[in-house]
Amino acid sequence: MADDTIHKVTTKSSSESASDYGETKVHQSNIGRRIWDSFKPNPNSLTNTVPGADVENAAENTANSPLERRLKGRHMQMIAIGGSIGTGLFVGSGSVLATGGPASSLIAYGLIGFMMYCTVHALGEMAVLYPVAGSFSHYATRFIDPAWGFSMGWNYVMQWLVTLPLEIVAASITVDYWHPNVSNAAWVAIFWILIILINLFGVKGYGEAEFAFSLIKVVAVVGFIILGIVLNCGGGPQGEYIGGRYWQNPGAFNNGFKGLCSVFAKAAFAFAGTEFVGLTAAETANPRKALPTAIKQVFWRIILFYLVSLTIVGLLVPYNDPKLMSGNSDADASASPFVIAIKNAGISVLDSIMNVVIMIAVLSVGNSSVYGSSRTLAALAEQGQAPRFLAYIDRKGRPLWSLLVVSAFGLLAFLAASDKQAVAFEWMLAISGLSSIFTWASVCLCHIRFRRSWKLQGHSLNELPFRSQPGIVGSYAGFILNCLVLVAQFWVGFAPVAYGEMTASERVYNFFSVYLAAPVVLAFYIPYKIYYRTPFIRAKDMDLHTGRRDLDIQYLIEEERAEQAAWPVWKKVYKVFC
């Protein structure tokens, strides 16, 4: 009897547990059925998307997007520290070094890094307050102009749509380092399937993969910096002290001021993806806690992983080293200054290990490109700025149709198997190169407009759960510097370093290869502006309430600030950067 009673209670408990999740006991044990059901529409999906420039509807939909909030603090920190380190740093820095010299490399990456510091803090302030789907593209719709939001959203989608095949191509080229006779199509297929499978696990799969990828990249860069210092001081197999020899001969600069201006686009490409900490806000479990810490980590990434590592590279590899320009394209790891530095030192095996790191870094950025473009596509659809079916989000919080569209674009990577591999890579890089500059400038302008409205509508800065460290001044500086980079790229696009040696058709080709993002942005903005006659949003009319997550926790913010005021000086200084 006792056993029967226990059995009945256990059965009832199991039944109740299953029904709590809307599943029968059979469904709960059937893994295949549960996977199939996970692709069904999310019951919280919004279907009231209205085509056009309805700012109020756009704000409501992005604020209530049914994306899953499953990213934790550790995911955010690793995404912030190493999430976008890829070909731009490991391989693209080689052509930057060859074109401008080591001093130009540091100036270009340092200037873009300062812009990113200002931009990410501005974005963080808005993202902590409004952790909505679409992030910066939605902020442009909300705080500037719906037409500009539409343009920035599609600019960002285009940037990452082409980055996916670009990074898969780059990954397949890295394998050529060991197996040059194997068709790239085979590696493209393997890498494409791997990236898509990771993203089919939802935001948790993306977060865990990026955590592992970023950890490997961080360890590799730190290890390279230590090795580089040893090699520079004469501790390598050849035992030769190098010091600052290559800064004197062949020199610190190549091609003068124009050489410096020529490398901004590739430096910007290297930082692309840093803004992901803002995009992931809508899928973060506790953005008020996780985002500020992750945003502060960007400072260390700029200093350590870009400036320090490039300083070491510039000391170990002269800008006239023929191997810097020996690759088949800007994705060829054989032209990586990191690999070249190790090979020049006469160290065996380590160059292959560094090539593995480059391949992982490339796959990491490809993984991020699927995440970034699919989420932005879904957010555009929720705002009525993209086909409605792209707003479909399943029960696991995956924007399923957007993922399928992005995955289809990844098939362009099979161009790697053609004889037009280098040309295809160059044009994909042209589309994505300056796209980031437009995005970052837009974020800074959004922050300036937001702060204006915040003050005009009677709010104080003490109400903000997180404040940008460089503040409104940093946003003005970031916006102006982004505009100056666009001007510099326009100049070198029309009059490149080798201007006198080029034909008219080659000059036109060169201009669009470095400035293609600008026509793309205008092609989206102008027709939308004319067709919908969208107004510029006035500061007094901006919606500062929809999507806010801190409306009922102001007292917690005040308590936290009172506690922070009592911290010792060392802890206050530590928390500024961490």
Side-chain angles (χ1 to χ4, degrees), residues 31-333:
I31 296 177
R33 181 60 180 270
R34 290 173 65 188
I35 292 174
W36 176 258
D37 287 345
S38 73
F39 292 104
K40 292 181 177 179
N42 192 304
N44 297 317
S45 291
L46 299 169
T47 57
N48 60 329
T49 56
V50 180
D54 188 341
V55 178
E56 183 178 344
N57 180 66
E60 186 68 31
N61 284 356
T62 53
N64 296 293
S65 179
L67 296 170
E68 284 198 339
R69 303 183 185 275
R70 301 193 65 184
L71 289 178
K72 301 188 183 302
R74 65 183 178 88
H75 298 133
M76 297 297 295
Q77 290 182 39
M78 273 301 169
I79 289 171
I81 292 175
S84 64
I85 295 176
T87 52
L89 175 64
F90 287 126
V91 184
S93 57
S95 60
V96 170
L97 180 62
T99 302
S104 290
S105 299
L106 287 178
I107 293 171
Y109 278 83
L111 187 61
I112 299 293
F114 174 72
M115 285 163 39
M116 283 312 307
Y117 174 75
C118 295
T119 301
V120 171
H121 273 267
L123 177 59
E125 181 175 298
M126 295 184 290
V128 173
L129 192 64
Y130 306 106
V132 298
S135 189
F136 25 82
S137 65
H138 170 69
Y139 299 147
T141 295
R142 192 167 184 168
F143 300 134
I144 301 177
D145 173 15
W148 187 247
F150 172 80
S151 178
M152 285 299 95
W154 278 101
N155 169 66
Y156 200 70
V157 168
M158 289 290 292
Q159 173 188 343
W160 290 108
L161 277 179
V162 299
T163 298
L164 173 60
L166 184 150
E167 296 296 334
I168 295 176
V169 168
S172 69
I173 292 175
T174 60
V175 183
D176 287 343
Y177 191 80
W178 302 290
H179 303 289
N181 298 321
V182 177
S183 172
N184 281 347
W187 301 114
V188 164
I190 292 170
F191 294 141
W192 180 81
I193 292 171
L194 177 62
I195 289 173
I196 301 310
L197 284 177
I198 289 172
N199 280 271
L200 284 177
F201 280 97
V203 69
K204 191 67 180 294
Y206 163 75
E208 294 297 347
E210 281 307 300
F211 182 85
F213 289 154
S214 296
L215 188 60
I216 293 170
K217 289 185 283 186
V218 168
V219 171
V221 173
V222 172
F224 175 82
I225 290 171
I226 296 171
L227 174 65
I229 293 172
V230 172
L231 294 176
N232 187 260
C233 295
Q238 299 174 356
E240 183 182 9
Y241 175 76
I242 300 174
R245 178 192 308 169
Y246 298 135
W247 279 62
Q248 297 174 359
N249 182 25
F253 291 93
N254 188 26
N255 298 312
F257 182 67
K258 185 172 285 189
L260 170 63
C261 293
S262 298
V263 300
F264 279 124
K266 288 182 179 177
F269 178 74
F271 281 92
T274 306
E275 70 284 342
F276 262 58
V277 290
L279 190 65
T280 55
E283 295 178 89
T284 303
N286 189 346
R288 189 174 66 87
K289 290 285 188 181
L291 273 177
T293 302
I295 288 162
K296 293 173 186 176
Q297 304 294 337
V298 171
F299 172 82
W300 296 110
R301 183 169 87 182
I302 293 168
I303 297 297
L304 182 64
F305 303 120
Y306 286 92
L307 299 187
V308 175
S309 64
L310 287 174
T311 298
I312 299 296
V313 162
L315 290 172
L316 297 177
V317 182
Y319 71 69
N320 60 355
D321 191 312
K323 292 189 287 293
L324 285 173
M325 304 301 288
S326 64
N328 295 325
S329 74
D330 286 340
D332 194 337

